Amino acid sequence: MTSNVRLPLTSALPTADRLAALKELYPEAFADGKIDFAKLKQLLGEAVETDRERYGLNWAGKAEAMHVLQSLSVGTLKPARQDSVNFDTTKNLIIEGDNLEVLKLLQKSYFGKVKMIYIDPPYNTGNEFIYPDNYREGLEDYLRYSGQKAVDGAATTSNKETDGRYHSKWLSMMYPRLFLARNLLREDGVIFISIDDHEVHNLRMMMNEIFGEENFISQIVILTNPKGRVLGQHFAQCHDYIIVYGKSPFTSELSVAKTDSEMLAQYPEIDGTRRFRLLELRNTHRQFGRHNRATLYFPLYINPANGNVKLCESSDSIEAYPNWDDGFEGCWTWGQRKVAAENDLLVGKMTAGRWKVFRKAYATDEVGEAAKKKFPTVWTDKEFHTEKGQAAFNALVPGRIFQSPKPPGLIKRLVQLAASEEDEDIILDFFAGSGTTAQAVLELNKEDGGNRKFILVQLPEPTQSKQFPTIAHITRERVKRVIANMNETTGTGSLLLDEGAPQDLGFKALTLAASNFHIWQGTNMGADAGAIAAQLELFADNLQPDAADEDILFEILLKAGYDLNVQREVINVHGHPAHSIADGQCIICLAREIDREAVDAIIARQPEVASFLDAAFHGNDALLTNTLLQMQGASIHFHTI
């Protein structure tokens, strides 16, 4: 009766949502919870590709990368108050750990919640650090590498061009991370990836497979070094790329509102309270005209007294055709139906000795929404040069201890394009480096009154600095100094948003760590009986001996699928401390011993979910059984951990 109440201590299966969707569409293709591929093929009919030769991306190790993706994480994210700023009030996160494991752990809590992802992954230039040698081993290898286990640290590796699996190793590293990242995006989410010529072709192919070719948005060229890299072979390379994909077909525009100065300069006319500019209705491209757009060639009639434009001729009107001065018969940009519907936007004016038809383009729409501007696909702004990124970092953390960070201005533009200042949009960067993304989000929030949030993930990659032994140390320190500068500027310790609420100037620091609970290590049938007995002894009390309550709480929130910033409050249940989560939606009791009165007190609060430690019922099976029955009777989901 009580066997199905345990909270899983593993991460969510990355493909669980896809399997659920497939089962909903084709329930008859499932048998005993597994897919019957023969049946599925029958159901799909001609949509199944049976030819062995097909277009796609393949590499040595792809099957292994898929296996890595499917393996579950049993780790946790351990809060580090001493490394945080405003831990209890902030909703920003900086996580130290292997991003593959961290992305797995975030699947339940942040599935479909992230508005924008920006990453600047290793470019695979042949000499940069990639990840621990055996990154495929997952959490155990990371714990050795980061010094959390008393074993020699894992070796680091550079992916040399002489390696026979040079491209394959990079693809195997990136594939599972990008797959997991897609799960975290909202349906209207967008991902930006910085890359250069070494892997841009493979990245596009891989993104087409994971995100879908139909969700490709753009490939932006960034001028990073106007003079070019003089050590480059054959050419002095001066650019990088940013690849842009949507989670699903992107219906909204990636554009930003025009500034006040742009509005004044570009919209000189005034119509009541709205500014506008006049654009010629004639198509100004001579490749289009009456010869290939016959339906867009027709006369319009202008009243010379007031400039009114009509489709029908009147006694005092002047006929106007979309012809050019040399007699070329052009065409209008609007058809007759749209002219009739939007007639009040048209105006006739005498220009260069003859009457022409113009349309009004307003700076704001009828509800005051400002006109948008689209950016070109080649970005040459000086603020995007590599030297600007280095200067911004050095101004905060002198000594050039981190090379070639991205310029904050570049990330700001991307955030402006994809994340609204009006909502608490989440921006994720799981190759955080020195923390440029956090600086960009904080500064942009200050500039436009936004309330965007960031999640950064950074591996504790070793450095040569005694002050900052790992890059994760640099990440946190940079963001701390950005926050300190902002507080110093205001003199109040907190900036205010337009509505009067303080800006979020802080971050929770968390560290990837082993679970606070003993995790069953699977044994083979022929395993030593003593080893099995030792495992069973551990599970008599499954808590690690040094597990702190806050660490346990964060692991439960993570494994139960709660946002790590969820509202929580310490409450008293008949003398036992407990945590009320999300305004009482869930109650988590971490008492090592529990009694019937405490159970009754929790039921009286009528939460949707109640969670207890296994240890609380140790040796009292009757109380555990009765608690389960009481919870079921009160329609409360009951978990033990």
Side-chain angles (χ1 to χ4, degrees), residues 289-338:
R290 185 177 185 180
H291 63 287
N292 59 3
R293 297 291 188 274
T295 59
L296 296 179
Y297 186 85
F298 51 88
L300 291 174
Y301 300 94
I302 304 170
N303 184 333
N306 53 26
N308 288 344
V309 177
K310 302 291 183 183
L311 273 170
C312 301
E313 183 179 7
S314 61
S315 59
D316 55 355
S317 64
I318 296 172
E319 191 175 60
Y321 279 93
N323 295 335
W324 293 64
D325 292 339
D326 62 1
F328 176 78
E329 294 180 326
C331 63
W332 305 115
T333 55
W334 290 1
Q336 294 188 52
R337 183 176 298 177
K338 186 166 185 180

Side-chain angles (χ1 to χ4, degrees), residues 69 203 236 244 307 402 422 473 508 515 519 521-522 547 596-597:
L69 170 64
L203 178 61
V244 190
F402 191 93
E422 298 174 358
H473 285 87
K508 286 183 178 70
S515 174
I519 304 296
Q521 305 296 321
R596 186 180 303 281
E597 290 76 13

Side-chain angles (χ1 to χ4, degrees), residues 29-103:
F30 284 76
D32 296 326
K34 301 292 185 181
I35 298 176
D36 183 337
F37 274 105
K39 184 69 173 177
L40 183 60
K41 286 181 180 180
Q42 290 177 356
L43 294 169
L44 292 173
E46 295 183 359
V48 176
E49 172 62 75
T50 57
D51 195 335
R52 296 183 65 180
E53 295 183 358
R54 65 193 67 176
Y55 178 78
L57 177 65
N58 204 2
W59 68 89
K62 186 175 183 179
E64 185 179 10
M66 294 297 293
H67 177 71
V68 169
L69 170 64
Q70 297 294 337
S71 64
L72 302 179
S73 177
V74 294
T76 186
L77 299 180
K78 186 176 181 179
R81 284 181 173 270
Q82 71 280 5
D83 293 324
S84 306
V85 178
N86 298 327
F87 184 93
D88 290 316
T89 56
T90 184
K91 293 185 178 180
N92 299 314
L93 305 177
I94 298 183
I95 303 169
E96 176 183 313
D98 176 358
N99 54 20
L100 178 62
E101 291 296 305
V102 172
L103 288 169

Side-chain angles (χ1 to χ4, degrees), residues 24 55 101 114 193 199 203-204 276 383 392 437 457-458 607:
E24 185 174 348
Y55 178 78
E101 291 296 305
V114 174
I193 308 175
E199 297 291 353
L203 178 61
R204 283 283 301 271
F276 70 92
E383 62 180 316
T437 296
V457 185
Q458 177 54 44

Side-chain angles (χ1 to χ4, degrees), residues 228-250:
R229 301 180 182 96
V230 294
L231 297 180
Q233 188 177 16
H234 305 303
F235 293 93
Q237 188 176 10
C238 60
H239 70 279
D240 285 340
Y241 305 100
I242 293 180
I243 306 299
V244 190
Y245 278 77
K247 168 74 174 285
S248 54
F250 215 70

Side-chain angles (χ1 to χ4, degrees), residues 123-128 158-161 166 198:
Y123 285 5
N124 206 20
T125 56
N127 55 15
E128 80 262 76
S158 292
N159 192 22
K160 299 296 184 184
E161 288 190 65
Y166 171 64
H198 283 83

Side-chain angles (χ1 to χ4, degrees), residues 214-437:
E214 69 279 8
N215 295 322
F216 169 75
I217 295 174
S218 187
Q219 179 168 316
I220 305 168
V221 179
I222 312 291
L223 180 65
T224 57
N225 183 350
K227 295 180 180 178
R229 301 180 182 96
V230 294
L231 297 180
Q233 188 177 16
H234 305 303
F235 293 93
Q237 188 176 10
C238 60
H239 70 279
D240 285 340
Y241 305 100
I242 293 180
I243 306 299
V244 190
Y245 278 77
K247 168 74 174 285
S248 54
F250 215 70
T251 54
S252 59
E253 284 190 353
L254 289 177
S255 56
V256 299
K258 294 184 178 180
T259 63
D260 291 342
S261 59
E262 288 173 331
M263 296 284 238
L264 289 172
Q266 297 175 16
Y267 300 88
E269 310 280 350
I270 297 179
D271 183 358
T273 59
R274 298 170 68 194
R275 304 188 68 87
F276 70 92
R277 60 179 171 174
L278 293 176
L279 300 176
E280 192 172 355
L281 190 65
R282 181 190 63 177
N283 195 320
T284 56
H285 299 283
R286 287 180 71 115
Q287 65 265 39
F288 303 112
R290 185 177 185 180
H291 63 287
N292 59 3
R293 297 291 188 274
T295 59
L296 296 179
Y297 186 85
F298 51 88
L300 291 174
Y301 300 94
I302 304 170
N303 184 333
N306 53 26
N308 288 344
V309 177
K310 302 291 183 183
L311 273 170
C312 301
E313 183 179 7
S314 61
S315 59
D316 55 355
S317 64
I318 296 172
E319 191 175 60
Y321 279 93
N323 295 335
W324 293 64
D325 292 339
D326 62 1
F328 176 78
E329 294 180 326
C331 63
W332 305 115
T333 55
W334 290 1
Q336 294 188 52
R337 183 176 298 177
K338 186 166 185 180
V339 168
E342 306 287 353
N343 186 254
D344 59 332
L345 295 181
L346 299 180
V347 61
K349 292 188 72 174
M350 176 70 75
T351 304
R354 71 184 181 92
W355 285 91
K356 292 184 179 181
V357 179
F358 296 85
R359 62 181 177 87
K360 295 179 182 179
Y362 285 99
T364 58
D365 61 21
E366 293 177 354
V367 295
E369 184 75 20
K372 303 287 187 179
K373 62 179 176 182
K374 294 181 181 179
F375 290 107
T377 54
V378 178
W379 293 3
T380 59
D381 309 51
K382 290 182 179 180
E383 62 180 316
F384 303 155
H385 293 174
T386 301
E387 63 184 24
K388 296 292 185 181
Q390 192 68 61
F393 176 79
N394 293 346
L396 290 164
V397 188
R400 294 185 70 89
I401 61 172
F402 191 93
Q403 300 299 313
S404 303
K406 286 293 183 285
L410 176 63
I411 315 301
K412 280 185 189 178
R413 175 173 287 187
L414 299 177
V415 174
Q416 282 179 310
L417 288 172
S420 169
E421 72 274 14
E422 298 174 358
D423 304 308
E424 291 190 358
D425 284 349
I426 298 174
I427 293 92
L428 168 65
D429 182 349
F430 53 90
F431 285 97
S434 69
T436 305
T437 296

